[in-house]
Amino acid sequence: ALMPLAGGVALPKEATGRLPGKVYQLGVPASRYSGRRVLYRVNAGGPLVLSNDGGPNWLADTSTSPSARHNWGSVSATWNRSFGRAVEVPRSTPQAVFTTERADPWPSPEMSWDFPVRAGTAVRLRLYFASGCGCTTHPGDRVFDVSVDGVKRLDDYDPVAAVGHGVGTVESIDLVSDGNVDVDF
């Protein structure tokens, strides 16, 4: 850097504060977590996944300890394989969220999730998908709808057609909570 000696101004006197003073930290620093508040994270069909961005951990949802946020009738699976990532997936998303799944085999009840969120709260719902089963390697093998609060938000969604088999992706849906965010598959 070039710092000329001529034409400058005098530096102000250094002032050092004194204790006791009041220091406040509210929330997680933006440098650790993008400044957004995460209400829920669930690793659908899998074990607890530790956060790597300062936000909350991804809660477990296994066969032996299912999440209380979804109804009965769905099944979980784990895939021992590596997954690629679509460009939409935030870098802070742990790879482990793509290695498990929760699915609703027909003719059981449709899988639904319920998340209490204060009415009037703006919400960005992120749904993470990956096709890891050898039974869903081609477009059209697994196609489903997703409704949020009774409104169809993903129609005939096909993760393999969207990004390919063995690739994790995310779909984001913005909404305002009516007191409970209901996600139906």
Side-chain angles (χ1 to χ4, degrees):
L2 175 64
M3 294 182 221
L5 295 175
V9 294
L11 294 175
K13 282 184 145 185
E14 188 174 316
T16 304
R18 295 196 175 133
L19 293 177
K22 294 182 180 178
V23 177
Y24 300 97
Q25 178 177 345
L26 303 173
V28 178
S31 62
R32 284 188 48 220
Y33 186 66
S34 64
R36 297 185 179 115
R37 184 169 169 232
V38 174
L39 301 175
Y40 299 98
R41 280 182 171 163
V42 179
N43 182 23
L48 174 86
V49 174
L50 298 178
S51 165
N52 59 12
D53 61 6
N57 294 328
W58 298 70
L59 300 177
D61 174 43
T62 62
S63 295
T64 56
S65 183
S67 170
R69 300 276 168 229
H70 64 77
N71 64 338
W72 64 275
S74 57
V75 296
S76 62
T78 301
W79 312 113
N80 294 320
R81 62 183 317 265
S82 61
F83 284 80
R85 289 174 170 253
V87 295
E88 306 81 37
V89 177
R91 288 186 197 177
S92 61
T93 305
Q95 189 67 19
V97 302
F98 297 116
T99 62
T100 61
E101 75 173 42
R102 181 159 292 285
D104 130 22
W106 186 86
S108 70
E110 299 302 325
M111 182 171 51
S112 65
W113 295 75
D114 296 304
F115 299 95
V117 178
R118 189 180 80 234
T121 302
V123 174
R124 171 162 290 158
L125 173 66
R126 288 185 178 163
L127 302 171
Y128 293 83
F129 300 105
S131 178
C133 180
C135 61
T136 58
T137 58
H138 299 94
D141 287 344
R142 180 180 287 165
V143 178
F144 53 91
D145 296 334
V146 178
S147 294
V148 179
D149 291 340
V151 177
K152 191 181 294 184
R153 302 303 286 269
L154 297 175
D155 186 25
D156 293 336
Y157 186 74
D158 184 341
V160 175
V163 295
H165 180 71
V167 179
T169 191
V170 63
E171 295 291 335
S172 296
I173 299 168
D174 292 324
L175 62 131
V176 175
S177 174
D178 61 1
N180 197 65
V181 176
D182 303 300
V183 184
D184 299 310
F185 293 84

